[in-house]
Amino acid sequence: MFRAVYSATSKFKYIAQTLVKVADIIPFLATPEGIIVRTLSPDKTTMISLTLPATAFDEYECDGEEGFLVSSDEFNRVVKRGTRNDILELTLERELKRLRIIFRDKKTGVIRTFNVQLREGSIEKLSEPKIELSATIRMLASDFKNIVRDAKMVGDEIEFITTKDKFIAVTETQQKIYRCIMELDKPLISLIVKKDEVRSTYSIELLEATLKAAMAANTLTLEYGDNMPAKIEFDMPGGGILTYWVAPRAK
Amino acid sequence: MGVNLRELIPESVRKTIELPALRGKVIAIDAYNALYQFLTAIRQPDGTPLMDSKGRITSHLSGLFYRTINIMEYGLKPVYVFDGKPPEIKAVEIARRKKVKEEAVKKYEEALARGDLEAAKRYAQMSSKLTEDMVIDAKKLLDAMGVPWVQAKAEGEAQAAYMSREGDAWATASQDYDSLLFGAPRLIRNLTITGKRKLPKKDVYIEIKPEIIELEALLKALGITREQLIDIAILLGTDYNPEGVKGIGPKRAMMLIKTYGSLERVLKILPRTEFPIDPLKIKEYFLKPPVNKDYKIEWNEPDEKSIIDLLCKEHDFSETRVRNAIERLKKAYREHIKGKQLGLELWFS
């Protein structure tokens, strides 16, 4: 059995909106310790790993390991109906092959119930890439959001360059250029780099998928290496972590 | 037309795939098959194909242009393979197709005269004819789009299969199954017709997704060799013996070949069976078709002016729509061909 109550409904909406951008099906794995969702986009360019520990929920019940699949689009459309006044409740009704989603309005007491059909199939247990990344930058999620949105005005890809004291994001096309330079405390929260310079280029379209996650988090940690994947970690309310992996573009 | 192996292929071997899963893969597309699909599908309600102001058919160009861009946006790298001179052993099938088309033209006109639009559309689709001018324009369009094409010596599917076996393409794409007989390691069906499609004679739409059939998996599932698959196909009917053997369906053909081992032996127990040509010649053709080994596969930057000249100035396509599509094509080229998007699979050990 699995049941979880989450009061930060408006934040959960952003999680669902991020998941829908990566995969058509969300593989939920509920354990007594919490919920894990780990899925690779069909084209294998991005991966999402969401961990919400049991303590991140207001109420959490799960006897053993419960894996279930739902359509990300259906799940997102229902979760989107929640408001900041709602408390979200997820209940797995395995025998009825559905996930029940209840919104309870804290002010008016109105209860709204939706059912999302479970999809057939089993959960593929994926692990995240185990690689050493040379640059680690921590910044406000809103700053990252601005970088991606600015860069999109100029081109399709963005190069991240990290030196000992700077993080630079560059997008360049024939007639246009966008460059954003950030330094430690101006406004970076932290910057750790293991080499003199680390460079890698990513698709802005793929990074855009993280913008919804950025709405749910205050800060994020960006890790990447020379021509290697970027790992973007968002701290979720109540202690969860949403990790987004994006493969680089070869130059 | 091609051989119909549909009933023979177990569901477990026929795997539905999503287009994004083919990102970065070179796909050798049977050009004639794709162009016929476009000619058949892209029509007005009464069956009239799209035409320019001079009355020249443009359905094939519309399909080729928009569909190619669509698959390139998913990161696929298409290379079109055009048929060369049809082999002599195909003469009977070519004559049969010509007759079917002529009859379809008559029936189309009759249906149109009595106001039966649905029947008219059906017969118009059956009468679709790909002319030399259409093929020339299709090649010109591909050149302008920067999409490579290869001229086969004879059968396009044999050429596509050869390119796949050589590792120059990851898979072949066609609605027909012949490339499997020619030895293609993978065949993708429905690539050029993916999406919502209306069922004929019904007001019902279905979602068509690409499916992939792996030759190795098919042979393993059926417990036969490629030569035996060819033998079965010959009993069922191929482009070179369209009628097959009367009274022999997929199950019986399979049973006969599995029991006797080869077509040569099966023919001994079916002495009165008639073939338009020596069936062993057909087998030999599938095993050793003539192919063009001197080809180059290279994607280039789309040439906007040439596309506009061909589609808009020559064939009256809407310039706004074409320019929007060119922007999508340029983006796909930049993202998937020039600056290659890598996949995370490279970092999973």
Side-chain angles (χ1 to χ4, degrees), chain B residues 5-256:
Chain B
L5 295 179
R6 188 167 184 88
E7 281 182 55
L8 209 63
I9 299 175
E11 282 306 311
S12 57
V13 177
R14 193 185 291 280
K15 288 182 183 148
T16 301
I17 48 164
E18 303 286 340
L19 281 176
L22 297 173
R23 181 188 52 79
K25 305 270 195 276
V26 177
I27 312 292
I29 302 174
D30 177 357
Y32 272 52
N33 189 273
L35 293 176
Y36 265 114
Q37 295 285 337
F38 302 141
L39 271 180
T40 308
I42 305 171
R43 284 172 183 264
Q44 292 170 35
D46 68 349
T48 313
L50 303 186
M51 281 190 266
D52 62 18
S53 57
K54 290 177 187 156
R56 293 173 299 188
I57 293 171
T58 56
S59 297
H60 61 299
L61 294 176
S62 175
L64 185 65
F65 182 58
Y66 293 110
R67 188 65 199 162
T68 303
I69 293 173
N70 188 240
I71 59 175
M72 285 180 73
E73 283 181 306
Y74 283 104
L76 277 73
K77 297 166 87 175
V79 46
Y80 283 87
V81 183
F82 285 84
D83 282 358
K85 192 171 172 254
E88 279 175 23
I89 56 170
K90 206 174 181 177
V92 175
E93 171 63 2
I94 291 170
R96 190 192 67 84
R97 285 182 194 176
K98 198 177 165 200
K99 200 176 158 198
V100 168
K101 282 184 201 302
E102 283 166 2
E103 280 167 11
V105 171
K106 272 187 211 159
K107 285 180 180 168
Y108 165 70
E109 281 160 5
E110 285 164 15
L112 214 53
R114 63 174 187 271
D116 185 349
L117 290 188
E118 196 161 327
K121 187 172 183 180
R122 206 165 57 245
Y123 291 123
Q125 286 173 330
M126 285 168 69
S127 66
S128 299
K129 205 174 160 190
L130 192 63
T131 64
E132 210 179 315
D133 284 347
M134 288 175 175
V135 173
I136 291 169
D137 272 351
K139 288 175 179 173
K140 268 192 211 166
L141 178 59
L142 291 172
D143 283 339
M145 292 170 77
V147 175
W149 55 269
V150 170
Q151 181 63 58
K153 262 194 175 166
E155 297 284 17
E157 285 174 288
Q159 180 71 35
Y162 173 79
M163 287 158 60
S164 296
R165 283 203 316 274
E166 288 294 297
D168 293 329
W170 185 78
T172 61
S174 177
Q175 288 309 96
D176 297 342
Y177 298 93
D178 298 51
S179 64
L180 292 171
L181 303 182
F182 284 118
R186 292 175 203 89
L187 164 68
I188 298 171
R189 297 185 74 248
N190 302 339
L191 184 69
T192 51
I193 56 166
T194 299
K196 281 205 168 128
R197 292 284 176 268
K198 188 179 172 292
L199 287 179
K201 297 187 196 177
K202 288 178 191 168
D203 203 18
V204 178
Y205 285 82
I206 53 159
E207 179 79 22
I208 297 182
K209 286 188 173 182
E211 58 180 33
I212 187 160
I213 299 159
E214 295 201 357
L215 179 62
E216 199 65 35
L218 173 64
L219 298 177
K220 201 176 165 193
L222 298 178
I224 55 172
T225 63
R226 185 182 143 215
E227 289 200 15
Q228 288 176 315
L229 183 68
I230 296 169
D231 292 346
I232 292 170
I234 293 169
L235 292 176
L236 294 175
T238 69
D239 275 353
Y240 317 116
N241 64 318
E243 301 298 324
V245 177
K246 262 187 194 159
I248 295 186
K251 280 184 188 163
R252 189 144 180 248
M254 175 95 127
M255 186 272 287
L256 283 170

Side-chain angles (χ1 to χ4, degrees), chain A residues 33-131:
Chain A
E33 288 75 43
I35 296 177
I36 297 168
V37 174
R38 198 166 286 154
T39 184
L40 203 56
S41 62
D43 64 3
K44 299 187 175 77
T45 54
T46 57
M47 180 186 193
I48 206 157
S49 175
L50 169 71
T51 309
L52 290 173
T55 51
F57 295 91
D58 301 304
E59 291 172 43
Y60 188 87
E61 297 165 54
C62 185
D63 297 339
E65 204 174 88
E66 288 278 10
F68 55 96
L69 308 171
V70 292
S71 148
S72 60
D73 186 42
E74 284 173 40
F75 183 73
N76 178 42
R77 270 191 284 156
V78 171
V79 172
K80 227 160 58 176
R81 300 298 306 145
T83 68
R84 69 169 74 163
N85 293 330
D86 285 322
I87 292 172
L88 172 76
E89 183 180 323
L90 304 172
T91 308
L92 176 66
E93 296 181 332
R94 174 83 67 191
E95 62 289 355
L96 298 169
K97 292 182 180 172
R98 69 189 190 193
L99 177 70
R100 198 171 60 183
I101 301 173
I102 301 175
F103 297 111
R104 292 177 202 277
D105 191 304
K106 285 177 270 190
K107 288 183 180 166
T108 63
V110 171
I111 297 172
R112 293 177 294 144
T113 305
F114 296 88
N115 293 319
V116 174
Q117 287 301 304
L118 299 185
R119 294 300 178 102
E120 299 282 332
S122 55
I123 292 183
E124 191 189 349
K125 289 197 175 173
L126 290 169
S127 54
E128 293 181 48
K130 287 184 178 65
I131 45 176

Side-chain angles (χ1 to χ4, degrees), chain A residues 170-183:
Chain A
V170 185
T171 294
E172 216 169 335
T173 49
Q174 273 180 340
Q175 289 108 18
K176 293 182 266 182
I177 185 162
Y178 164 75
R179 187 183 292 264
C180 173
I181 303 171
M182 292 180 170
E183 292 175 36

